């Protein structure tokens, strides 16, 4: 309301600037309390008692709703509440003020009734919003800091529309990533779809053939206008897309398919067309830890007996541990392998001294 009062001060003296204030309510507290009304916010600070400090956005209440809300708070009470038609007006008519309920009339809350104040308050709200927009404008010019409608506007300028339900935190980086991302070929499309969806994707280039023409039959006249050899013209620029889908945490399959189709439409090269879009099976695996059994033990205790008539009985035990011995004789077996190489003086060899002239040469190696 400070801006409202400033605007009122700029008016010519012919205008009636009197607020014609009226008492709306008297707010009390079981202990000490100070309060402030400033720029459509009512705040209280309490000292002791069972209640707590309050901070109330007056734009969310009518005067009547505000009275009911305050009277329902622990430790707060109303010594007076206006019951006229003014209670149906917005609580923003509360006039800016600050006071202490321990002071005389410190619990009085007033509101204005002059329509001129309401008109200037509406203008003040527009100016405050314009000021906030101007201050935020530099940040809204970058995809790294823009939010809301500003970010959507930037995305449209780059040709990257916002997806349904996409948060600003991922949409902003996606604008630049999509502009700079490799495009046009099937590998680039695979990378883009996998990046945005987190699912394995395969994009395959395909070639189809049109109808075979001409056919040399009785319909075609042999006048030289048609060739003998029938041929089919290839149709290039087609590709198929297969993508995986998260069966557990995936969104609606139809919506997910539309998302993939939108990515393809934005990244495909001019003159190319998607022939088919299909869902492929996802790789599933599970690992089970085999059960392990714990060991078991046996506890054995000897039974001891003694009688009072024979106190000298004794108990003893004898444990004999046999000695084990074994002798391992080193193996004495031996193996031998004989490898023979035969060299023959054939016609493929030249008689130039590089090959000795001998019929057969054998080499024997023993292991």
């Amino acid at each position: 309301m400070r801006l409202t009062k400033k605007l009122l001060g700029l008016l010519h003296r012919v205008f009636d600037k009197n607020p014609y204030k009226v008492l709306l309510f008297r707010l009390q507290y079981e202990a000490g309390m100070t309060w402030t009304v400033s720029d459509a916010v009512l705040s209280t600070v309490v000292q002791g008692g069972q209640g707590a400090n309050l901070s109330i956005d007056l734009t969310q209440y009518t005067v009547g709703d505000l009275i009911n809300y305050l009277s329902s708070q622990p430790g707060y009470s109303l010594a007076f509440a206006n019951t006229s038609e003014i209670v149906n007006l917005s609580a923003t008519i509360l006039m800016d003020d600050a006071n202490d309920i321990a002071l005389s009339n410190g619990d009085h809350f007033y509101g204005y009734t002059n329509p001129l104040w309401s008109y200037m308050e509406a203008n003040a709200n527009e100016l405050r919003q314009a000021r906030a927009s101007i201050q935020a404008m530099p940040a809204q010019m970058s995809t790294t800091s823009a939010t809301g409608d500003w970010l959507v506007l930037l995305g449209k300028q780059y040709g990257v529309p916002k997806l349904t339900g996409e948060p600003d935190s991922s949409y902003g980086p996606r604008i630049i990533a999509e502009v700079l991302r490799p495009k046009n070929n099937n590998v680039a499309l695979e990378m883009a779809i996998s990046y945005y969806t987190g699912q394995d994707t395969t994009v395959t280039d395909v070639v189809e053939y049109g109808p075979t023409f001409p056919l040399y039959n009785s319909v075609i006249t042999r006048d030289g206008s048609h060739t003998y050899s029938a041929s089919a013209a290839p149709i290039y620029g087609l590709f198929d897309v297969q993508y995986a889908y998260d069966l557990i945490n995936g969104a609606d399959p139809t919506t997910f398919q539309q998302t993939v189709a939108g990515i393809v439409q934005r990244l495909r090269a001019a003159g190319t067309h998607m022939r088919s879009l299909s869902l492929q099976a996802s790789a599933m695996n599970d690992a089970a830890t085999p059960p392990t059994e714990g060991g078991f033990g046996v506890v054995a205790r000897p039974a001891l007996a003694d009688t009072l008539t024979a106190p000298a009985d004794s108990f003893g035990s004898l444990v004999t541990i046999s000695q084990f011995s074994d002798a391992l004789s080193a193996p004495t077996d031996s193996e031998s392998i004989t490898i023979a190489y035969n060299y023959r003086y054939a016609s493929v060899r030249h008689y130039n001294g590089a090959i000795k002239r001998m019929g057969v040469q054998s080499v024997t190696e023993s292991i």
Side-chain angles (χ1 to χ4, degrees):
M1 189 169 287
R2 288 175 297 180
L3 183 55
T4 302
K5 293 180 178 179
K6 185 175 181 179
L7 293 176
L8 289 168
L10 299 175
L11 292 177
H12 192 273
R13 62 183 180 180
V14 70
F15 291 96
D16 185 1
K17 305 174 186 177
N18 192 326
Y20 296 105
K21 65 181 182 179
V22 61
L23 180 63
L24 300 179
F25 56 86
R26 293 175 56 193
L27 181 62
Q28 296 183 345
Y29 183 68
E30 63 184 22
M33 183 192 75
T34 59
W35 57 270
T36 302
V37 176
S38 177
D39 289 336
V41 175
L42 167 61
S43 57
T44 64
V45 178
V46 299
Q47 297 88 31
Q50 61 176 332
N53 298 336
L54 300 177
S55 181
I56 305 172
D57 181 5
L58 298 179
T59 62
Q60 306 300 314
Y61 296 87
T62 64
V63 174
D65 293 337
L66 179 62
I67 290 173
N68 294 332
Y69 176 76
L70 292 173
S71 61
S72 66
Q73 299 305 301
Y76 291 86
S77 62
L78 294 176
F80 167 79
N82 197 313
T83 57
S84 66
E85 293 182 354
I86 199 172
V87 298
N88 297 320
L89 299 179
S90 170
T92 56
I93 67 172
L94 264 71
M95 300 183 64
D96 285 1
D97 200 355
N99 217 323
D100 189 332
I101 63 173
L103 302 177
S104 177
N105 295 331
D107 60 352
H108 287 50
F109 287 75
Y110 294 94
Y112 61 80
T113 59
N114 189 343
L116 183 60
W117 279 58
S118 298
Y119 175 75
M120 287 301 175
E121 177 67 13
N123 284 274
N125 287 334
E126 292 295 328
L127 291 174
R128 280 192 290 266
Q129 293 180 15
R131 178 174 60 187
S133 298
I134 292 173
Q135 293 174 346
M137 187 177 297
Q140 303 300 333
M141 298 176 68
S142 171
T143 58
T144 59
S145 55
T147 57
D149 294 339
W150 292 95
L151 185 58
V152 173
L153 179 60
L154 288 175
K156 290 181 178 179
Q157 293 176 350
Y158 285 105
V160 183
K162 188 175 184 179
L163 303 177
T164 302
E166 184 177 19
D168 292 344
S169 57
S170 61
Y171 179 45
R174 185 173 69 83
I175 293 175
I176 300 302
E178 192 163 310
V179 171
L180 301 179
R181 176 173 292 279
K183 302 177 180 66
N184 300 340
N185 58 33
N186 60 326
V187 177
L189 287 174
E190 288 180 357
M191 293 172 59
I193 297 173
S194 298
Y195 174 78
Y196 293 136
T197 65
Q199 300 295 326
D200 293 335
T201 305
T202 302
V203 179
T204 306
D205 293 331
V206 295
V207 178
E208 289 187 347
Y209 290 87
T212 303
F213 184 84
L215 294 176
Y216 188 75
N217 52 31
S218 60
V219 178
I220 298 178
T221 304
R222 182 183 295 186
D223 56 1
S225 60
H226 299 284
T227 59
Y228 262 88
S229 57
S231 63
I235 303 175
Y236 298 104
L238 301 178
F239 58 89
D240 296 335
V241 178
Q242 289 184 325
Y243 64 94
Y245 177 72
D246 189 346
L247 298 176
I248 304 299
N249 301 314
D252 176 66
T254 302
T255 302
F256 187 76
Q257 184 183 52
Q258 294 173 352
T259 299
V260 175
I263 295 173
V264 172
Q265 181 65 22
R266 292 192 302 273
L267 297 184
R268 66 178 178 84
T272 62
H273 302 277
M274 180 173 61
R275 187 182 69 167
S276 66
L277 177 63
S278 59
L279 177 66
Q280 64 181 354
S282 302
M284 303 181 65
N285 60 76
D286 194 5
T289 303
T292 57
E293 296 182 355
F296 76 96
V298 177
V299 178
R301 295 186 176 90
L304 304 179
D306 198 0
T307 61
L308 296 178
T309 57
D313 291 346
S314 61
F315 172 80
S317 62
L318 178 62
V319 178
T320 301
I321 300 177
S322 302
Q323 293 182 347
F324 297 91
S325 63
D326 194 5
L328 177 63
S329 301
T332 58
D333 296 341
S334 61
E335 292 287 343
S336 64
I337 297 178
T338 300
I339 301 176
Y341 298 94
N342 295 329
Y343 298 96
R344 298 185 180 277
Y345 188 74
S347 61
V348 295
R349 300 182 182 274
H350 297 279
Y351 188 69
N352 55 6
I355 304 297
K356 293 182 179 182
R357 187 172 184 179
M358 58 178 56
V360 176
Q361 179 180 3
S362 299
V363 178
T364 302
E365 298 182 0
S366 298
I367 300 177

